[in-house]
């Protein structure tokens, strides 16, 4: 076959293989012919951004040399009080000392950070004129460090300037920030790959965040030995975050159906909608979760399983960091923010807590049953990857099959029986819906449009899972 004919043949094969469901048909292979944003309402382009990632057992010992190579003279090391006494922090500090790097430790990071805890960390950063940052911990630590770096480098900015609209002003970050090296100790958030920092905004009792490619870490040091210190429930909830990152980004509204189309590329959001590159990472993350998550939760010494989940977190992070998430995450923020008395097993904290991964996954059966009609093939593919037999399944049953598959995973891993088991009742649904409405940055990426009544029904359906 001649070269030109072969190219044409391959393109036709790809076109025939493209997803034909309502949300994804007529999308990727035709998007390249779209006109620029002066004449169209939806976007016509997407871009990939991710931190540099270094992976390897024991690779944390290199961080002191990295900081030397950056010319860092005064480094801020952020962690939480529990991690400050554990091996990951010890390994990082030993490397800094060995390489003669001057540093100060901030260990007052709040698990599930708030605007108040962000501001405390920001104040610490502003007072010490750091020229580099290191975050050792899970998403709470890494996100707090991103915020401290951002505002220390923009000392005149109001706190709400960079916070996502409608809670904040959502201003783009135009100035430079200092180098930040993230050392994740959980296998879940993927925060080492993204330019997103999430926190509870206490005045509204809802989660929001800052989203800008400018604040993503310079380097993510992914050392699988650090995950061995995770308690069982932390491993489970972190894994659920990976699962939902992958599922939500893979089923998100396609990038060229997202509006508005930015008039300037600086305004193109980090969460752009599903796209061909993010799809690869998200789908692969699902395969790894299916193979290793249960092992990683049940046996803390299973280095192969915990290492694999650590990498799955990175894979899903690259996927959702560019495609975005949708309803599970949007609805999770008020679930975490309105917590009453729930005590989270495996978390060494004194305040009530619904861990992030748990708050996300509790609504997943209801959410994917709801979104499936817009993209049934993708929902069925996800169900099959996660272990379902779909050979006799009708397209219209895609949502029910994926929902049942998710319920079985949650049941096998001893997850609480719905929102009712973490302290919520039907009387709380209006407040939960109210807390979801400001999350438009993510909820608008749902492949299926939704109303307030739809959100109410999804919360109600999530009160009990089994």
């Amino acid at each position: 076959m001649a070269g030109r004919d072969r190219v044409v043949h391959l393109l036709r094969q790809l076109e025939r293989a493209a997803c034909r469901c309502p949300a994804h048909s007529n999308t990727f292979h035709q998007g390249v012919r779209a006109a620029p944003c002066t004449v169209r309402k939806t976007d016509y382009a997407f871009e990939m951004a991710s931190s540099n990632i270094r992976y390897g057992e024991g690779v944390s010992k290199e961080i002191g040399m990295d900081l030397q190579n950056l010319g860092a003279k005064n480094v801020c090391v952020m962690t939480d009080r529990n991690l400050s006494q554990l091996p990951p922090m010890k390994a990082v500090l030993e490397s800094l000392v060995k390489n003669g790097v001057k540093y100060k430790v901030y260990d007052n990071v709040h698990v599930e950070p708030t605007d108040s805890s962000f501001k405390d960390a920001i104040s610490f950063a502003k007072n010490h004129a750091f020229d580099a940052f290191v975050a050792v911990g899970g998403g709470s630590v890494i996100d707090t460090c991103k915020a401290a770096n951002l505002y220390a480098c923009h000392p005149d900015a109001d706190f709400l300037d960079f916070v996502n609209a409608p809670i904040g002003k959502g201003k783009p970050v135009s100035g430079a920030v200092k180098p930040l090296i993230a050392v994740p100790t959980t296998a879940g958030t993927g925060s080492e790959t993204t330019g997103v920092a999430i926190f509870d905004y206490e005045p509204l009792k809802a989660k929001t965040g800052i989203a800008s490619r400018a604040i993503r870490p310079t380097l993510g040091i992914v050392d699988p030995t650090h995950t061995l210190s995770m308690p069982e429930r932390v491993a489970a909830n972190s894994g659920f975050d990976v699962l939902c990152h992958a599922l939500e980004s893979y089923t998100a509204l396609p990038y060229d159906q997202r509006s508005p189309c930015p008039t300037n590329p600086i305004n193109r959001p980090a969460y752009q909608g599903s796209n061909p590159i993010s799809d690869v990472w998200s789908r692969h993350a699902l395969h790894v979760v299916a193979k290793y998550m249960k092992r990683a939760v049940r046996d803390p010494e299973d280095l192969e399983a915990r290492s694999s989940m650590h990498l799955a977190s990175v894979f899903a992070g690259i996927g959702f960091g560019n495609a975005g998430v949708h309803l599970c995450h949007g609805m999770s923020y008020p679930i975490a923010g309105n917590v009453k008395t729930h005590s989270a097993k495996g978390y060494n904290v004194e305040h009530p807590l619904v861990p992030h991964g748990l708050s996300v996954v509790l609504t997943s059966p209801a959410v994917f049953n709801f979104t499936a009609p817009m993209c049934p093939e993708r929902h069925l593919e996800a169900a099959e990857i996660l272990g379902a037999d779909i050979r006799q399944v009708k397209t219209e049953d895609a949502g029910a099959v994926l929902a049942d598959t998710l319920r079985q995973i949650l049941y096998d891993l001893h997850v609480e029986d719905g929102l009712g088991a973490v302290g919520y009742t039907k009387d709380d649904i209006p407040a939960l819906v109210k807390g979801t409405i400001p999350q438009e940055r993510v909820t608008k990426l749902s492949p299926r449009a939704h109303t307030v009544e739809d959100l109410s029904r999804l919360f109600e359906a999530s009160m009990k899972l089994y």
Side-chain angles (χ1 to χ4, degrees), residues 11-281:
L11 286 172
R12 284 176 177 163
Q13 279 189 315
L14 285 170
E15 189 159 329
R16 282 196 298 270
C19 186
R20 301 294 182 184
C21 59
H24 291 85
S25 62
N26 205 29
T27 300
F28 299 143
H29 53 289
Q30 295 189 7
V32 294
R33 295 201 295 269
C37 293
T38 53
V39 296
R40 62 176 289 158
K41 294 179 180 179
T42 58
D43 211 338
Y44 67 100
F46 69 93
E47 61 184 86
M48 286 299 295
S50 177
S51 306
N52 292 326
I53 298 296
R54 184 182 303 148
Y55 174 88
E57 189 174 334
V59 75
S60 299
K61 66 188 176 197
E62 296 184 358
I63 194 168
M65 290 181 278
D66 288 314
L67 291 163
Q68 266 194 342
N69 295 340
L70 288 167
K73 304 295 184 185
N74 185 27
V75 176
C76 176
V77 180
M78 290 201 168
T79 191
D80 63 46
R81 285 180 181 163
N82 185 50
L83 270 165
S84 66
Q85 308 300 320
L86 294 177
M89 188 66 173
K90 181 181 178 183
V92 168
L93 295 185
E94 282 180 352
S95 180
L96 268 58
V97 170
K98 181 178 179 180
N99 290 278
V101 176
K102 179 185 173 186
Y103 66 88
K104 285 185 173 67
V105 173
Y106 177 86
D107 65 359
N108 200 33
V109 170
H110 194 279
V111 177
E112 302 297 337
T114 65
D115 53 319
S116 299
S117 72
F118 264 22
K119 289 173 183 176
D120 189 71
I122 291 165
S123 177
F124 180 84
K126 285 181 175 180
N127 288 337
H128 292 94
F130 296 113
D131 57 7
F133 290 79
V134 174
V136 184
S140 296
V141 173
I142 299 172
D143 287 4
T144 298
C145 200
K146 291 174 185 175
N149 186 9
L150 171 64
Y151 288 95
C153 293
H154 296 79
D156 297 328
D158 180 75
F159 180 72
L160 289 177
D161 279 354
F162 301 122
V163 173
N164 299 324
I167 290 174
K169 299 175 185 176
K171 291 183 178 180
V173 178
S174 54
V177 298
K178 303 297 183 185
L180 190 163
I181 299 177
V183 186
T185 60
T186 61
T189 67
S191 186
E192 67 277 4
T193 69
T194 74
V196 177
I198 301 296
F199 64 95
D200 284 314
Y201 187 60
E202 293 169 303
L204 293 181
K205 290 189 175 181
K207 267 187 164 46
T208 184
I210 301 160
S212 170
R213 295 179 185 89
I215 66 170
R216 71 180 186 271
T218 312
L219 173 65
I221 298 280
V222 183
D223 186 339
T225 61
H226 295 338
T227 64
L228 299 179
S229 60
M230 275 195 300
E232 176 188 326
R233 296 325 298 170
V234 177
N237 293 328
S238 299
F240 293 138
D241 204 16
V242 178
L243 172 63
C244 288
H245 283 157
L247 283 173
E248 289 174 71
S249 57
Y250 192 54
T251 59
L253 189 75
Y255 75 93
D256 63 355
Q257 293 182 28
R258 191 201 74 252
S259 61
C261 185
T263 55
N264 186 310
I266 197 174
N267 295 319
R268 181 167 284 115
Y271 287 0
Q272 301 163 95
S274 60
N275 60 77
I277 300 178
S278 284
D279 285 351
V280 173
W281 295 98

